[in-house]
Amino acid sequence: MTDTTNQRPVSTFAGDDAATLPTTYTPADVEGELYERWVDRGYFTADAKSDKPAYTIVIPPPNVTGALHLGHAFQHTLMDALTRRKRMQGYETLWLPGMDHAGIATQNKVEQQLAESGLSRHDLGREAFVEKVWEWKRSYGGRILGQMRRLGDGVDWSRERFTMDEGLSQAVQTIFKRLFDDGLIYRAERIINWCPRCLTALSDIEVEHEDTPGELVSIRYGEGEDSIVVATTRAETMLGDTAVAVHPEDERYRHLVGRTIKLPLTDREIPVVADEHVDPEFGTGAVKVTPAHDPNDFAIGQRHDLPNLTVMDEHGAITVHGPFLGMDRLEARSAVVGALREQGRIVAEKRPYMHAVGHCSRCHTVVEPRLSLQWWVKVEPLAKAAGDAVRDGKVEIHPKSLERRYFDWVDNMYDWCISRQLWWGHRIPVWYGPEGEVVCVGPDEQPPTGEGWHQDPDVLDTWFSSGLWPFSTLGWPEKTADLEKFYPTDVLVTGHDIIFFWVARMMMFGLYAMDGEAPFKTVALTGLVRDEFGKKMSKSSGTAVDPLDWMDAYGADAVRFTLARGANPGADVPIGEDWVKGSRNFCNKIWNATRFALMNGATVEGPLPASEELTAADRWILSRLNATVAEVDALYDGFEFAKVSDTLFHFAWDEVFDWYVELSKTTLAKGGPAADASRRVLGEVLDVTLRLLHPVVPFVTETLWTRLTGAESLVVAEWPADSGFRDAAAEAEVATVQQVVTEVRRFRIDQGLQDRQRVPATLELAGTSLVDHEDAIRSLLWLTAAEAGFEATASLPVAGATVALDLSGTIDVEAERKRLAKDLAAAEKEKAQTTAKLGNEAFLAKAPDEVVAKIRGRQEAAEADIARITAQLAALPKG
């Protein structure tokens, strides 16, 4: 027989050595010390000079302000499992950690600190404020990195990066300069998301849309037959209207197109324009056009050469003259409606009117669409390359069903606003001269000096620098050994919710900067972690969970296994504390079974015995072990983490612990060569099973495997290989044993017998494959030998064998007979009803296929119940 793994450890611990293992597993006694040992020994440090094939994952950089939440723990568990397995498979594995400077979030943190002292950033000035942010980062930032250690993240800490460190800052300035010189970065006035509190433009991902109660007012513009009614939820913006738009084919307004009407509350006349953007079936079929305060209106304004009239300042205060001057936008909304009502211009009012309103994700202020002079990336050629990379097979999106979402984004991407009105971040490397000169400066160039020259005050969107992450972290723009060895990265593990904002940007920048070489080969998209009922976790509803609390209570392995077991590709992950408890129980089961094996001499020393020296149970478990190795490998390659975990759970618990360990007890108790062979098989099975489990539950497996094998560490052990050994005959033989044991156990339960209540019995096994398993069957079923005067009161024919039991004195036969008779009557009634329906041709002709299939299933279940209950009644003692 061929070994299931190539590595043979040099020594073994057995017998009395197992006594040094505590009777119960306490994660807190193991995890912290074990992790630091892994780091100190350099297991996670990648070598760019290695001849091994490379395998690279870069971590989605968490915000420097952040703390480990369940979403992080979920994705980190999957990335850790992938890299641990690849390391064991012989790859030079780099899992690169780091953090994002998180412009708005970090600046807000420091501004809040200053506010407590009665200061603002403007009191300090730009340079002093930025230094204050660096001080905050050094003191408070990055606590998530320590929490990652707690989870067991096998990252290469020697390569930790930060999006504001010197190397990454050089990368940002380099690519900005290249894009600028290629005409792919430009400055223009466009509509952006604006936060009146943070006083900056926001990216789409920094805006959270919430259903909010408001009011929908219908306003009459113009007079008599020349009037038009428009509806709006933002009445204050009508002060900035520069047109009313209707559909070109709308007969109701054809006579007005090209003419002007008077804008209420103002002295202005505005034109009526025809534009196909307008839906004639929605509302009145006419819309107000405010190009400076709405993205759709801005597009209409561009097409019709309309003026852009800004009516609010950066704080959201009204700037037009008149009674509304200086009012806050929300205050002005009510005032404008009131003034229009006085003039009889309000045709209809609907309140509350629920509609989606954008809020700043950091301060929760209502976001204002605003015309602003900003820096933009021209995305069309970059986005086309990003789409083609997936279409051409350079990059695989997994699961494939989410490709469509990716294409929907990259094929319809708008130019990207990259400037932010902040002080913390990568400052835009553009200088303006006294005569209107504009100079973009690269990292090796000197900025212009002299009177009147000044640098652009804005900084870049955080996503600009994080879009460079797969190659900037490896030393680009320099041609480093790390870049040569570890780029492109292999897998990006990230949530499907940021496919648009991060994945697409990395694809665009990677293909542009790296001569058409995509930043990763596979994008493995995950869902979001939700509560056990599938609802979004939130602090306000009390459903948010700190994973550190669960790790304190149940251990990191239990949290990791629970998360991995729910990780179906692209699907959301429900999780509840009871499930973590179940995973804790699984870890305890692994511990107890391995401890039992060690105390009974399980060994990994020497080759496996030849097949003829093994029991059927030995051959069965080795056959199932190799099949499991093959199955797990295939599932990992398909990123089926949930199925990997489920497969290993059922193999370890059901087959190894519940069956093989129990079956081997009788062999071990007899001693001799068969027992020695089983000890070697038991050691082999645990060795390989612990290796398979290690990527997901690293701490408990490391503790047990090093004790079992005496080898250095599972982190650097070899991944198991399928030897190809299969034994169908042994699998069939053990399946028959399982059938007998399962049927008799079910009968015992039906008869109300206690779990370990001993019952006298005889076993007729002659002529079956069960002959060699009588001792094991008796042990598993708590059956004692029949003594003189034995009289069977129940006889069970199972798998060609007969198990006869004496139940006298163990149950109330008459009460049991009545209970079973009642159950039998119910089953027969169910069968009669379903049979009648299935025999009704009219019903079958009209009923959907799924309904018919469901009724047929009920009929089959009833027939099975009748057979089972009838057998139980026949087996009851006579009397």
Side-chain angles (χ1 to χ4, degrees):
M1 181 183 299
T2 306
D3 280 354
T4 57
T5 177
N6 296 323
Q7 178 181 343
R8 291 294 101 212
V10 296
S11 63
T12 183
F13 286 78
D16 292 341
D17 290 323
T20 59
L21 276 177
T23 55
T24 57
Y25 176 53
T26 307
D29 294 342
V30 171
E31 294 175 350
E33 180 181 348
L34 197 51
Y35 184 84
E36 294 308 319
R37 188 187 311 160
W38 291 334
V39 173
D40 292 344
R41 291 181 178 179
Y43 293 153
F44 306 140
T45 303
D47 182 3
K49 298 178 181 179
S50 168
D51 293 332
K52 297 177 183 178
Y55 184 84
T56 315
I57 292 180
V58 291
I59 205 166
N63 288 352
V64 66
T65 60
L68 189 74
H69 56 63
L70 273 175
H72 291 130
F74 171 51
Q75 291 182 357
H76 288 205
T77 294
L78 306 187
M79 286 184 275
D80 198 33
L82 289 172
T83 51
R84 284 179 183 270
R85 173 174 174 258
K86 285 296 183 180
R87 189 179 294 111
M88 295 173 74
Q89 287 181 316
Y91 287 79
E92 192 61 39
T93 303
L94 171 60
W95 184 17
L96 194 148
M99 292 183 297
D100 190 283
H101 64 280
I104 294 178
T106 310
Q107 179 158 319
N108 278 350
K109 287 277 187 184
V110 179
E111 287 196 86
Q112 288 167 11
Q113 279 191 346
L114 290 174
E116 292 173 1
S117 303
L119 299 172
S120 74
R121 59 179 161 129
H122 301 284
D123 294 321
L124 271 67
R126 184 165 193 145
E127 288 188 12
F129 177 78
V130 170
E131 179 53 38
K132 202 77 174 172
V133 181
W134 278 109
E135 288 177 10
W136 182 93
K137 189 261 181 184
R138 288 187 287 268
S139 299
Y140 304 105
R143 63 178 173 143
I144 192 173
L145 300 178
Q147 295 165 343
M148 287 163 54
R149 302 171 89 95
R150 177 71 189 283
L151 186 65
D153 284 9
V155 296
D156 184 348
W157 292 109
S158 71
R159 286 177 166 85
E160 179 191 336
R161 303 305 299 267
F162 180 55
T163 50
M164 287 282 286
D165 68 28
E166 184 177 352
L168 270 65
S169 295
Q170 182 185 21
V172 168
Q173 194 170 354
T174 298
I175 201 163
F176 188 100
K177 171 69 172 174
R178 291 188 187 179
L179 289 164
F180 182 89
D181 290 346
D182 286 345
L184 295 174
I185 283 183
Y186 64 94
R187 197 178 189 218
E189 273 197 326
R190 297 280 178 82
I191 293 288
I192 46 87
N193 302 308
W194 180 264
C195 177
R197 155 61 180 78
C198 298
L199 299 180
T200 182
L202 303 175
S203 67
D204 290 337
I205 199 171
E206 292 163 331
V207 178
E208 295 178 347
H209 291 274
E210 300 176 6
D211 285 340
T212 305
E215 61 178 349
L216 180 69
V217 294
S218 297
I219 310 169
R220 178 171 52 84
Y221 289 11
E223 304 295 339
E225 293 182 358
D226 292 344
S227 66
I228 293 182
V229 175
V230 299
T232 181
T233 58
R234 300 163 66 214
E236 72 282 3
T237 64
M238 60 88 60
L239 299 172
D241 286 358
T242 56
V244 171
V246 298
H247 194 274
E249 299 178 4
D250 195 331
E251 294 291 340
R252 294 172 295 177
Y253 306 114
R254 188 181 295 276
H255 67 292
L256 289 176
V257 174
R259 296 171 57 185
T260 63
I261 59 174
K262 187 173 182 180
L263 179 67
L265 305 183
T266 73
D267 293 326
R268 292 191 291 116
E269 293 279 335
I270 60 175
V272 177
V273 299
D275 195 281
E276 291 187 351
H277 169 76
V278 180
D279 180 0
E281 303 298 324
F282 184 78
T284 64
V287 296
K288 58 190 287 298
V289 182
T290 321
H293 293 278
D294 184 273
N296 293 321
D297 294 3
F298 179 79
I300 294 175
Q302 293 286 96
R303 288 192 288 271
H304 297 277
D305 198 26
L306 299 175
N308 301 314
L309 180 58
T310 300
V311 296
M312 290 180 221
D313 66 13
E314 60 184 8
H315 297 279
I318 302 299
T319 57
V320 292
H321 66 277
F324 313 110
L325 179 65
M327 283 187 181
D328 174 77
R329 57 193 167 140
L330 301 181
E331 178 188 7
R333 182 173 301 170
S334 298
V336 166
V337 171
L340 290 167
R341 189 182 296 113
E342 287 180 5
Q343 293 187 5
R345 294 283 175 180
I346 300 297
V347 175
E349 297 180 66
K350 183 178 180 181
R351 66 169 67 88
Y353 177 74
M354 298 300 295
H355 61 133
V357 177
H359 292 73
C360 175
S361 62
R362 298 302 174 189
C363 69
H364 214 62
T365 300
V366 173
V367 169
E368 191 65 42
R370 183 171 186 263
L371 186 65
S372 181
L373 182 62
Q374 302 284 347
W375 284 95
W376 304 80
V377 171
K378 184 179 180 181
V379 300
E380 184 179 1
L382 303 174
K384 182 181 184 304
D388 290 346
V390 175
R391 290 187 173 97
D392 297 344
K394 289 182 180 179
V395 178
E396 176 189 0
I397 291 180
H398 191 87
K400 193 173 181 63
S401 59
L402 290 179
E403 273 188 3
R404 181 176 177 181
R405 295 184 65 182
Y406 176 79
F407 291 134
D408 284 347
W409 180 254
V410 297
D411 293 346
N412 301 284
M413 192 182 294
Y414 297 108
D415 284 0
W416 170 21
C417 177
I418 55 172
S419 46
R420 298 290 179 268
Q421 290 63 55
L422 303 171
W423 288 355
W424 172 245
H426 297 281
R427 193 164 176 181
I428 289 175
V430 171
W431 271 255
Y432 305 108
E435 303 299 325
E437 303 95 330
V438 178
V439 177
C440 181
V441 178
D444 300 321
E445 301 171 347
Q446 290 297 319
T449 57
E451 186 176 351
W453 283 94
H454 64 281
Q455 186 178 358
D456 194 299
D458 291 352
V459 300
L460 288 163
D461 177 12
T462 295
W463 295 101
F464 191 94
S465 53
S466 61
L468 314 180
W469 189 254
F471 52 94
S472 64
T473 53
L474 297 173
W476 186 89
E478 302 299 324
K479 294 183 178 179
T480 63
D482 276 1
L483 197 63
E484 178 70 23
K485 178 73 175 179
F486 297 112
Y487 188 91
T489 66
D490 287 85
V491 182
L492 173 72
V493 178
T494 191
H496 61 62
D497 56 323
I498 59 172
I499 187 172
F500 321 121
F501 309 107
W502 192 44
V503 178
R505 283 156 170 70
M506 285 189 289
M507 286 284 282
M508 291 191 301
F509 281 166
L511 291 162
Y512 173 80
M514 300 301 293
D515 299 320
E517 195 167 22
F520 22 72
K521 300 165 189 172
T522 302
V523 180
L525 294 170
T526 70
L528 307 178
V529 178
R530 300 195 177 269
D531 69 17
E532 58 190 304
F533 305 107
K535 296 181 180 179
K536 182 179 179 180
M537 289 187 172
S538 68
K539 292 181 180 178
S540 59
S541 63
T543 57
V545 173
D546 185 343
L548 295 173
D549 292 339
W550 278 355
M551 283 190 268
D552 287 341
Y554 309 112
D557 285 336
V559 174
R560 290 168 61 111
F561 192 76
T562 305
L563 291 166
R565 203 173 180 191
N568 290 298
D572 288 349
V573 183
I575 185 171
E577 188 166 6
D578 285 344
W579 304 344
V580 184
K581 291 178 182 177
S583 296
R584 185 268 317 272
N585 294 342
F586 178 53
C587 292
N588 289 341
K589 186 79 170 181
I590 300 170
W591 182 271
N592 293 334
T594 306
R595 188 171 184 274
F596 164 83
L598 289 168
M599 295 182 70
N600 284 273
T603 179
V604 294
E605 193 136 311
L608 285 169
S611 292
E612 57 269 20
E613 299 175 32
L614 301 177
T615 66
D618 293 335
R619 298 194 305 277
W620 162 73
I621 198 62
L622 289 174
S623 181
R624 289 293 307 127
L625 178 69
N626 279 284
T628 301
V629 170
E631 185 177 0
V632 167
D633 276 333
L635 292 171
Y636 260 122
D637 290 343
F639 303 99
E640 297 277 4
F641 298 101
K643 291 181 180 178
V644 165
S645 304
D646 215 45
T647 296
L648 289 173
F649 175 87
H650 287 295
F651 173 72
W653 193 309
D654 299 345
E655 298 188 83
V656 178
F657 305 150
D658 277 0
W659 282 106
Y660 180 68
V661 168
E662 294 301 319
L663 289 171
S664 67
K665 285 180 179 179
T666 55
T667 305
L668 296 174
K670 291 178 180 178
D676 291 339
S678 288
R679 290 188 183 95
R680 178 65 189 87
V681 171
L682 184 56
E684 181 77 9
V685 170
L686 288 173
D687 173 14
V688 174
T689 302
L690 292 171
R691 292 177 198 237
L692 292 173
L693 284 164
H694 176 72
V696 180
V697 285
F699 293 108
V700 67
T701 52
E702 172 85 341
T703 305
L704 294 171
W705 186 84
T706 53
R707 186 63 58 88
L708 172 70
T709 66
E712 179 184 352
S713 173
L714 254 180
V715 179
V716 291
E718 288 187 23
W719 182 253
D722 174 14
S723 71
F725 174 76
R726 301 290 191 278
D727 193 325
E731 291 196 35
E733 188 171 328
V734 172
T736 303
V737 174
Q738 292 173 322
Q739 182 184 356
V740 171
V741 172
T742 301
E743 288 296 322
V744 178
R745 278 178 175 167
R746 185 180 293 119
F747 176 78
R748 287 177 58 108
I749 292 170
D750 288 340
Q751 302 307 317
L753 296 177
Q754 296 299 313
D755 183 36
R756 298 192 176 191
Q757 184 175 352
R758 296 189 179 277
V759 178
T762 60
L763 277 63
E764 296 179 15
L765 309 176
T768 72
S769 60
L770 300 167
V771 173
D772 296 330
H773 301 281
E774 180 170 351
D775 290 345
I777 292 171
R778 285 187 176 276
S779 176
L780 290 166
L781 291 172
W782 295 86
L783 302 178
T784 60
E787 298 179 353
F790 172 83
E791 183 177 345
T793 59
S795 184
L796 300 176
V798 185
T802 301
V803 180
L805 304 95
D806 178 6
L807 301 178
S808 58
T810 61
I811 60 171
D812 184 336
V813 176
E814 193 56 37
E816 186 64 15
R817 196 183 306 280
K818 288 181 180 179
R819 184 184 70 81
L820 290 173
K822 183 178 179 181
D823 291 346
L824 180 61
E828 288 173 337
K829 181 179 179 182
E830 172 74 354
K831 180 186 176 182
Q833 290 176 341
T834 54
T835 300
K837 280 192 175 183
L838 294 172
N840 185 334
E841 294 297 334
F843 169 78
L844 293 177
K846 295 180 180 179
D849 290 345
E850 59 269 22
V851 173
V852 175
K854 186 175 181 180
I855 294 173
R856 187 165 284 117
R858 286 170 50 195
Q859 182 192 51
E860 291 170 357
E863 290 172 345
D865 285 343
I866 290 169
R868 175 179 57 82
I869 298 168
T870 301
Q872 291 174 14
L873 281 166
L876 284 174
K878 302 296 187 287

